Amino acid sequence: MTKFTLFIILFILTSCNYSKHEDDKSPVRLPVKTKKLHEFKRGEEMSNPNNILEPKIQTLELDYAVFSCACPNWIQKEDLEKDKNTLNMKHYIYIEPENKKLELPKNFDAFKNRIKVTGQFYKNKDYLKGTIQGEENPERAKVFRYNKIELTTK
């Protein structure tokens, strides 16, 4: 074996075994998989039964936005005015009545009316109670549960 061949073999072995310096204590960062949202089966209830209401009771003035999806359709009056020229879906919320008697009035017109509701937000973003998985995969959003509803004119 020539000195040059021996040098090449030693170089390869040295570089393979000592590619990291001993004083380099930084951990190796492996790619982290992002956690997937729970995939629901068709017909399965999507709302979280363990989601609890925040203690703060609020009154909100809400406008309805017509979308062709099962998205959150309600937005607070001040957020709508603030984001007039943009569609910022993070401001849209779901609303759910505390009981069936508090459903949206039948004479509600999205172009003429807004509603004033009193109630509480759930702590975590979620779906409306009773939302069943269908063909669409709607986004979770803030949910406001109201115990009082009033129809107002824009």
Side-chain angles (χ1 to χ4, degrees):
M1 227 186 255
T2 68
K3 288 184 181 180
F4 180 73
T5 309
L6 187 58
F7 175 76
I8 296 295
I9 291 172
L10 283 173
F11 177 76
I12 292 172
L13 289 173
T14 306
S15 63
C16 290
N17 290 333
Y18 299 103
S19 61
K20 184 177 177 185
H21 294 99
E22 284 186 34
D23 58 341
D24 185 7
K25 304 286 183 190
S26 60
V28 177
R29 294 184 186 240
L30 298 174
V32 178
K33 291 184 178 179
T34 56
K35 192 174 181 180
K36 289 184 180 178
L37 292 176
H38 177 71
E39 291 182 11
F40 299 97
K41 296 176 186 163
R42 184 174 282 237
E44 184 180 2
E45 166 105 20
M46 296 171 69
S47 65
N48 179 356
N50 300 318
N51 203 354
I52 58 174
L53 294 169
E54 293 178 349
K56 183 179 178 184
I57 296 173
Q58 302 178 52
T59 299
L60 310 176
E61 277 192 84
L62 301 172
D63 281 294
Y64 185 81
V66 180
F67 296 123
S68 60
C69 64
C71 322
N73 291 55
W74 295 94
I75 185 167
Q76 291 187 57
K77 177 184 169 186
E78 55 271 9
D79 290 333
L80 183 63
E81 291 169 358
K82 197 178 351 175
D83 295 338
K84 258 184 201 173
N85 300 324
T86 61
L87 179 62
N88 192 345
M89 289 304 292
K90 75 176 184 174
H91 291 223
Y92 285 84
I93 64 172
Y94 294 113
I95 62 169
E96 73 177 22
E98 187 177 81
N99 62 57
K100 294 283 184 197
K101 294 177 186 174
L102 296 170
E103 291 289 333
L104 192 62
K106 295 202 184 303
N107 61 339
F108 174 77
D109 182 335
F111 298 103
K112 296 178 184 174
N113 302 118
R114 71 173 40 106
I115 58 172
K116 188 184 278 190
V117 288
T118 302
Q120 299 155 280
F121 279 104
Y122 283 96
K123 285 195 180 240
N124 300 308
K125 289 182 177 182
D126 203 354
Y127 301 103
L128 295 171
K129 298 279 185 237
T131 300
I132 303 296
Q133 175 65 55
E135 289 183 25
E136 287 187 60
N137 291 314
E139 293 290 321
R140 283 186 170 92
K142 291 174 71 176
V143 179
F144 188 79
R145 185 173 186 183
Y146 63 91
N147 56 22
K148 182 181 175 186
I149 184 169
E150 180 184 332
L151 196 61
T152 62
T153 306
K154 288 186 180 182

